Amino acid sequence: MKNSKTNSERRVQKGFKGLGIYLRKNKLLVLIFGITFAASCFVSFIRIASSTTIASKSISEYEIGQIADETIVAERALAATAENPASVEKGEQIIRKGFPVTKEQYDKLQKMANSPAYIDYTSFLYSVLYLLLLAALAVFLFTKASIGYVISAKELGMDCVCFLLIYTIVSVSVSILDVSSQFSLAVFLPSSFCVFLIAIIFGHRNAMFFTIVASLGVYNASGYLVMPCLYLLATSLVSVRLVYQVSRRTQMVWVSLGQALCNVFFLLMFKLIFHLSMEGEHLAFLGVAFNGFISAILALGFLTPIELALNTASVFRLMDLSDQNTPILKKMLEVATGTYNHSIMVAALAESACEKIGANALLARVSSYYHDIGKIDNPEYFTENQLDGENIHNDINPSLSVSIIKSHVRRGVEKAKELNLPEPVIKIIGEHHGNQVIEWFYAKAKEKDPNVDPADYSYTENPPSTRESAVVMLADTVEAACKSLGKNPSYSALDNKISDLINAKISAKQMDNCGLTFQDLRRIHDAFQQFLAGYYHSRVKYPGQVDEDSNVPTVQNNPGNSQNVQPKFTSQKSQLSVLTASNSKEVPLEQKNEQNTEKKEANHRKDKKENKKSAPKPAKRAAARNSTKDKQ
């Protein structure tokens, strides 16, 4: 018994300890949830205080002559007024369970419901409990286990602001504006506007989870009406789908028209499902159509200031940054041409790989464009910009070289912040080398000092923390390393090289926190291999084309030959050369084969001439045949 109690106590202590650690690590997120919950409770209190409810029931649920299903006792005295001459004494039994409601009792109930001094605390308590359960659901939905990533404070804050906006508008419409029809309430719902913003800025998974929480919040704010909850759920899910592949601002016009039609369709369907009359609801149909249309237009207008305020990477902002005519990219093209071309290649590789694994391909492409902007200040220290072939690092100390190489990451992050690039892009710039060792300089330093510390020759940033960041790191490494394979590497050579590079990153623990699976890595490998195989493909040599290395024209096939002659592709083997013994000059293999053929033909012609000279003449051969016949 003692052991079981001790174990249970340890589990409880361990649970509280884990909760304490979580709260300390996520103080800001917990604070946002707490503020949202408190604000929702306040709005709920105002709604209940201004509504006509008694004992959690609306006054419309009571009728004269109805048998009461509960006993109601007045909690405070209410004096008679000109509007309602009935008076209520404190502790007075207004209605009694099992007895019919009289007109005098009904007047007293109505007086209590309309009195601002009378607050239905029972309804408020139920509302607080409901909001507490809703907050617990929201915490579960927006954790990493559900949403797939660690949600930021800005993202959660945006979700909470949108939830409070919807919850407040519905509460005000029900209590203060006294919207009697639950179908008319759909006209005032700003759900599509909020979902458009969240889906475009933070992604569709976030928007779907927000839709679930918001629909349940509307169920409470509307006084537990089912139709507004279902209407918001249906139309908001449509909103998420409508902006799923939107990449240009002009497409939002079509989105607005589609949302207007869907709003009308769902309102009509719910009227038919709930068997309600269509009379007098024409304005409701026009209202929801206008709501859907204006929601997309307003979202487009609010999008830019929200993006700049939160420094987020929405699809529209990333499309703007993908323009290669931006000043920073044009400057890179001028002062660091090799780095610019390298960045373009990395962007193409990263985009193709992200499309294969379902990651954000646009974010990876834009981040690849800017991942090496830190090299602009010292472009001559990086190999891709050393066009004359002289490596400046051969003349300086390895420790100085590695400090210059490492600094381009820090400078890149600083420049990105100066340019106010989105936070996800800045994060990828800082993580695209991780904390791996710079092997070349480390090996060079080890030749001088075998006891050199690897940490002194390693990058100091964090390893990739997202799938897009990991893909950019792999694309950066693969693009640079595959150039060492020559001009036309084979498919198998690319396969082996890419596999070695990916395995090296895994061994160096650079892929531990990015969320990539082995299946993702296989797809990334295949995407890289397919892209580079197409990039390094061979081309047919045209007739008369001069080889830049040998300055020898290619041999043209005989056009009169009726056989199908396969075109000869250039390869590494055809570029090999041998040295002649006479002048020690390089002669291409093709030219050497032609020379050998010409020698064989000359020798064959010489042999034929000698055979003709040694053969007897025709007259002498005839005389020899006649003499042979005479002898016979």
Side-chain angles (χ1 to χ4, degrees):
M1 292 294 293
K2 291 183 178 180
N3 292 332
S4 60
K5 289 183 178 180
T6 304
N7 293 333
S8 61
E9 290 175 357
R10 288 177 180 176
R11 291 174 183 173
V12 172
Q13 292 176 357
K14 187 176 181 180
F16 279 109
K17 185 178 180 180
L19 179 62
I21 294 173
Y22 176 82
L23 294 177
R24 285 195 298 270
K25 287 183 177 180
N26 301 277
K27 290 185 290 186
L28 186 56
L29 299 181
V30 174
L31 179 63
I32 293 174
F33 271 118
I35 292 175
T36 306
F37 175 74
S40 301
C41 291
F42 176 76
V43 174
S44 177
F45 178 81
I46 298 299
R47 172 179 61 84
I48 293 173
S50 58
S51 63
T52 57
T53 59
I54 304 172
S56 304
K57 291 184 179 180
S58 175
I59 188 62
S60 59
E61 297 183 27
Y62 295 95
E63 295 179 358
I64 299 175
Q66 174 186 350
I67 303 300
D69 57 355
E70 62 180 329
T71 300
I72 297 179
V73 179
E75 297 179 355
R76 59 171 56 92
L78 296 175
T81 60
E83 292 82 6
N84 192 336
S87 61
V88 178
E89 300 294 334
K90 183 178 180 181
E92 179 183 353
Q93 189 179 74
I94 306 300
I95 59 175
R96 186 177 178 184
K97 183 178 180 180
F99 289 86
V101 178
T102 64
K103 184 178 184 308
E104 181 182 1
Q105 291 174 337
Y106 182 81
D107 291 339
K108 292 184 178 181
L109 289 175
Q110 195 170 33
K111 187 178 186 65
M112 294 170 58
N114 294 329
S115 174
Y118 187 91
I119 299 175
D120 190 355
Y121 288 103
T122 304
S123 296
F124 176 65
L125 177 61
Y126 292 159
S127 180
V128 170
L129 292 176
Y130 183 93
L131 291 173
L132 188 62
L133 292 176
L134 185 59
L137 176 63
V139 170
F140 171 74
L141 290 177
F142 291 104
T143 55
K144 184 179 180 180
S146 300
I147 203 170
Y149 59 91
V150 178
I151 191 169
S152 64
K154 293 185 291 186
E155 189 171 352
L156 182 61
M158 180 73 179
D159 291 338
C160 291
V161 169
C162 290
F163 175 82
L164 286 176
L165 176 64
I166 296 174
Y167 189 85
T168 302
I169 289 178
V170 173
S171 298
V172 170
S173 300
V174 170
S175 59
I176 298 177
L177 299 181
D178 194 20
V179 177
S180 57
S181 173
Q182 55 181 328
F183 292 94
S184 300
L185 184 62
V187 177
F188 299 94
L189 287 175
S191 54
S192 295
F193 167 72
C194 295
V195 170
F196 283 145
L197 289 177
I198 294 174
I200 294 173
I201 296 176
F202 298 115
H204 302 85
R205 183 175 298 180
N206 186 320
M208 292 181 67
F209 288 161
F210 170 81
T211 297
I212 296 173
V213 176
S215 61
L216 294 176
V218 167
Y219 180 64
N220 173 259
S222 62
Y224 305 103
L225 297 176
V226 176
M227 201 289 297
C229 171
L230 296 178
Y231 175 83
L232 185 146
L233 181 64
T235 56
S236 296
L237 290 177
V238 169
S239 301
V240 175
R241 183 62 185 88
L242 287 174
V243 295
Y244 180 69
Q245 292 180 334
V246 169
S247 59
R248 300 185 183 279
R249 289 179 169 85
T250 54
Q251 293 175 318
M252 291 298 291
V253 177
W254 300 107
V255 170
S256 63
L257 295 175
Q259 188 65 52
L261 293 175
C262 290
N263 285 1
V264 173
F265 172 77
F266 281 114
L267 186 63
L268 177 62
M269 289 297 102
F270 285 126
K271 273 187 171 292
L272 295 176
I273 291 171
F274 287 95
H275 304 288
L276 296 177
S277 174
M278 300 288 181
E279 296 180 2
E281 297 292 345
H282 303 293
L283 293 178
F285 285 102
L286 292 176
V288 295
F290 179 76
N291 183 313
F293 181 83
I294 201 65
S295 294
I297 304 302
L298 288 176
L300 186 60
F302 278 90
L303 194 60
T304 299
I306 292 176
E307 285 177 334
L308 296 177
L310 300 180
N311 195 23
T312 56
S314 71
V315 61
F316 295 145
R317 193 175 181 199
L318 289 176
M319 287 297 295
D320 294 338
L321 292 174
S322 66
D323 184 6
Q324 297 176 21
N325 291 318
T326 56
I328 189 67
L329 293 182
K330 293 181 70 174
K331 183 178 179 181
M332 182 190 295
L333 177 60
E334 294 175 2
V335 304
T337 306
T339 299
Y340 177 85
N341 292 324
H342 161 73
S343 299
I344 298 299
M345 279 292 295
V346 171
L349 283 169
E351 184 178 30
S352 63
C354 284
E355 289 175 351
K356 295 292 184 181
I357 65 174
N360 192 335
L362 181 59
L363 174 60
R365 175 160 65 91
V366 172
S367 301
S368 299
Y369 288 154
Y370 296 89
H371 80 283
D372 273 343
I373 58 176
K375 295 181 179 180
I376 294 178
D377 295 335
N378 299 307
E380 67 277 4
Y381 285 93
F382 299 91
T383 308
E384 66 267 20
N385 300 313
Q386 297 170 355
L387 303 180
D388 54 1
E390 295 183 2
N391 192 345
I392 194 173
H393 294 286
N394 293 332
D395 302 326
I396 60 179
N397 191 283
S399 60
L400 178 59
S401 296
V402 80
S403 65
I404 297 173
I405 298 299
K406 289 194 299 184
S407 66
H408 89 274
V409 178
R410 175 178 52 81
R411 291 175 181 269
V413 172
E414 293 173 354
K415 286 182 178 294
K417 291 181 179 179
E418 292 174 1
L419 296 169
N420 196 30
L421 295 182
E423 189 64 32
V425 176
I426 297 176
K427 195 172 186 179
I428 291 177
I429 293 174
E431 294 177 349
H432 79 277
H433 280 303
N435 55 6
Q436 60 189 348
V437 177
I438 308 176
E439 296 289 348
W440 195 87
F441 294 106
Y442 176 64
K444 190 176 179 181
K446 209 169 183 181
E447 294 175 358
K448 298 181 179 180
D449 183 10
N451 298 322
V452 67
D453 187 3
D456 296 335
Y457 291 84
S458 302
Y459 288 101
T460 57
E461 303 296 330
N462 296 323
S465 58
T466 62
R467 296 198 297 170
E468 293 80 9
S469 183
V471 170
V472 172
M473 168 186 275
L474 294 174
D476 182 35
T477 303
V478 167
E479 196 282 330
C482 286
K483 290 180 178 178
S484 63
L485 298 177
K487 292 183 178 180
N488 300 307
S490 64
Y491 202 74
S492 59
L494 289 172
D495 182 12
N496 295 332
K497 188 67 174 178
I498 296 172
S499 297
D500 292 342
L501 294 172
I502 293 178
N503 290 331
K505 296 297 182 185
I506 296 174
S507 300
K509 300 185 182 302
Q510 300 301 306
M511 301 285 108
D512 289 357
N513 302 320
C514 62
L516 290 177
T517 63
F518 284 108
Q519 184 179 15
D520 291 336
L521 292 174
R522 167 50 58 185
R523 292 174 178 173
I524 293 170
H525 168 279
D526 295 342
F528 287 169
Q529 185 180 11
Q530 182 179 3
F531 181 89
L532 292 175
Y535 178 76
Y536 288 116
H537 72 281
S538 301
R539 291 184 179 273
V540 178
K541 283 190 175 182
Y542 296 96
Q545 179 179 346
V546 178
D547 193 330
E548 297 294 337
D549 295 330
S550 61
N551 294 326
V552 176
T554 57
V555 179
Q556 184 177 1
N557 292 328
N558 184 5
N561 191 353
S562 62
Q563 296 180 355
N564 293 328
V565 181
Q566 295 293 332
K568 183 178 288 186
F569 292 88
T570 60
S571 62
Q572 289 178 317
K573 293 182 179 180
S574 65
Q575 295 172 1
L576 296 176
S577 59
V578 296
L579 296 175
T580 59
S582 59
N583 53 8
S584 298
K585 293 183 179 179
E586 290 188 356
V587 181
L589 291 178
E590 293 178 359
Q591 186 176 357
K592 183 182 178 183
N593 292 334
E594 293 174 9
Q595 292 174 355
N596 293 336
T597 304
E598 291 176 358
K599 288 181 180 180
K600 289 180 181 180
E601 292 178 354
N603 293 334
H604 182 65
R605 287 194 296 270
K606 185 176 179 181
D607 293 339
K608 288 181 68 176
K609 288 180 181 180
E610 291 178 355
N611 292 334
K612 287 182 180 180
K613 290 180 181 180
S614 61
K617 293 183 178 180
K620 293 182 179 180
R621 289 198 296 270
R625 286 196 298 269
N626 293 332
S627 61
T628 304
K629 291 179 179 180
D630 294 340
K631 290 179 181 179
Q632 293 176 353

